Amino acid sequence: MKVLIATEKPFAKVAVDGIRQEIEGAGYELTLLEKYTEKAQLLEAVKDADAVIIRSDIIDNEVLDAAKQLKIVVRAGAGYDNVDLAAATAHNVVVMNTPGQNSNAVAELVFGLLVFAVRNFYNGKAGTELKGKKLGILAFGNVGRNVARIAAGFGMDIYAYDAFCPKEVIEAAGVHAVDSTEALFDTCDIVSLHIPATPETKNSINYEMVSRMPKGGILINTARKEVIDEAGLIKLMEEREDLKYVSDIAPATAEEFAAKFAGRYFATPKKMGAQTAEANINAGIAAAKQIVGFLRDGITKFQVNK
Ligand code: 3PG
């Protein structure tokens, strides 16, 4: 059996070593396609793979067509919007993610970006502090919960909304549960996005929603660029010079944001949230273990295309 790691943005070497140990220890072969620049390279590499470990790499119908032996794809990470689930199911391919494995890394980056933003991107002028500010966490999943834990250390006043998480769970974490996304934006000085990109959430963070933020509001996005209605956000930030947008994913219209909102906008050049050795090890080894568990014992825990 051949297991391929196909990562346009590579794991830390120590994580690849750990994955190799799991895969070869189970008697399978490991092959590596890192930093590829053309889809053709991926199409070639998947040809004889029985299993593939990916990150944000796109697995679409064409890739699945090329992967004649493929039985399982594991997205080493949380969001699986980069995998065409219906096409995978049609090709009889199991898709899994590794929930929670990289969530602390993403949550820590939220605060790296936030301190940078409230200190005016280190331009030397007096900024503000996070202590005492109202932080709104949109979706209380693995990342949102880690954000709440760290925010408590900063002395922030923490709010959250999650359409799928009971209020009691949120309150039990010492967080104020609000009734809607709108209420979160109405209330909070800073809103941090932790929703997946789905047909329901795409473009949901729009002009109307963000315009609810109090003066000096900061929107932080370490989720997906697709959840933002970029045209709406640009219009609003043109009207309201008090708002800032910081993101771990460059917007599709990054050049326009950079040109129009100097000093109020920042995006990492490449998605960095999960890019720590620890997160790579956790997610990568979890993915390898899930592949072995599936190929050897038929275990389908964490399958997302059931
Ligand atoms: C995730 O969904 O797990 C994160 O966005 C990390 O994505 P990455 O593995 O491409 O860095």
Side-chain angles (χ1 to χ4, degrees):
M1 292 273 189
K2 277 196 177 171
V3 179
L4 169 71
I5 299 177
T7 46
E8 182 271 321
K9 183 176 63 190
F11 291 122
K13 184 182 175 301
V14 61
V16 175
D17 293 344
I19 294 170
R20 185 178 299 284
Q21 230 175 336
E22 293 293 331
I23 299 300
E24 293 181 351
Y28 305 144
E29 192 185 325
L30 186 76
T31 54
L32 201 54
L33 174 70
E34 288 182 329
K35 292 192 207 170
Y36 60 93
T37 49
E38 307 293 332
K39 189 178 187 183
Q41 295 170 271
L42 179 61
L43 294 175
E44 181 61 32
V46 295
K47 264 185 181 166
D48 58 353
D50 297 279
V52 182
I53 297 173
I54 54 161
R55 299 185 62 175
S56 290
D57 307 81
I58 307 288
I59 302 295
D60 59 13
N61 200 58
E62 194 184 359
V63 175
L64 292 159
D65 273 348
K68 297 273 181 267
Q69 310 290 328
L70 193 61
K71 296 156 189 68
I72 177 168
V73 174
V74 181
R75 192 280 190 247
Y80 44 86
D81 46 307
N82 48 319
V83 181
D84 184 335
L85 294 188
T89 304
H91 284 78
N92 220 2
V93 170
V94 166
V95 182
M96 296 183 189
N97 66 348
T98 65
Q101 300 291 347
N102 59 18
S103 49
N104 180 66
V106 179
E108 287 191 13
L109 187 71
V110 167
F111 291 89
L113 290 170
L114 276 182
V115 172
F116 186 44
V118 295
R119 299 301 183 101
N120 296 318
F121 306 108
Y122 305 149
N123 71 355
K125 293 190 182 145
T128 59
E129 298 180 19
L130 294 177
K131 188 178 177 189
K133 300 297 182 302
K134 291 185 166 67
L135 172 69
I137 300 173
L138 184 55
F140 208 62
N142 289 308
V143 181
R145 289 167 207 217
N146 275 290
V147 169
R149 172 180 54 79
I150 300 169
F154 275 92
M156 300 187 81
D157 190 10
I158 314 164
Y159 295 75
Y161 174 68
D162 189 317
F164 305 100
C165 178
K167 268 188 161 185
E168 301 75 61
V169 173
I170 294 174
E171 301 274 355
V175 174
H176 309 289
V178 298
D179 288 323
S180 65
T181 304
E182 286 79 0
L184 205 64
F185 277 86
D186 283 340
T187 310
C188 297
D189 304 299
I190 298 166
V191 174
S192 188
L193 304 177
H194 303 291
I195 44 176
T198 66
E200 293 73 36
T201 64
K202 280 182 184 167
N203 295 312
S204 65
I205 308 304
N206 56 23
Y207 178 94
E208 192 280 324
M209 192 65 77
V210 187
S211 69
R212 294 168 173 272
M213 292 192 85
K215 193 169 182 329
I218 300 175
L219 177 64
I220 172 157
N221 183 9
T222 55
R224 291 290 181 271
K225 69 174 189 295
E226 290 81 3
V227 303
I228 303 279
D229 172 2
E230 293 183 12
L233 183 58
I234 288 171
K235 180 172 183 288
L236 181 65
M237 287 179 70
E238 282 173 340
E239 289 170 18
R240 280 190 50 184
E241 292 188 2
D242 59 303
L243 295 176
K244 284 183 182 155
Y245 179 52
V246 283
S247 177
D248 184 31
I249 327 94
T253 51
E255 281 173 19
E256 191 174 351
F257 272 90
K260 288 187 169 158
F261 308 121
R264 297 197 283 138
Y265 157 79
F266 174 81
T268 51
K270 199 152 205 154
K271 189 162 56 139
M272 290 299 296
Q275 201 57 325
T276 65
E278 293 89 338
N280 289 175
I281 292 167
N282 293 344
I285 292 179
K289 285 192 161 123
Q290 287 170 218
I291 285 173
V292 174
F294 175 73
L295 292 178
R296 203 174 50 193
D297 305 319
I299 297 168
T300 55
K301 193 176 174 194
F302 301 124
Q303 183 174 354
V304 293
N305 64 332
K306 272 184 185 162

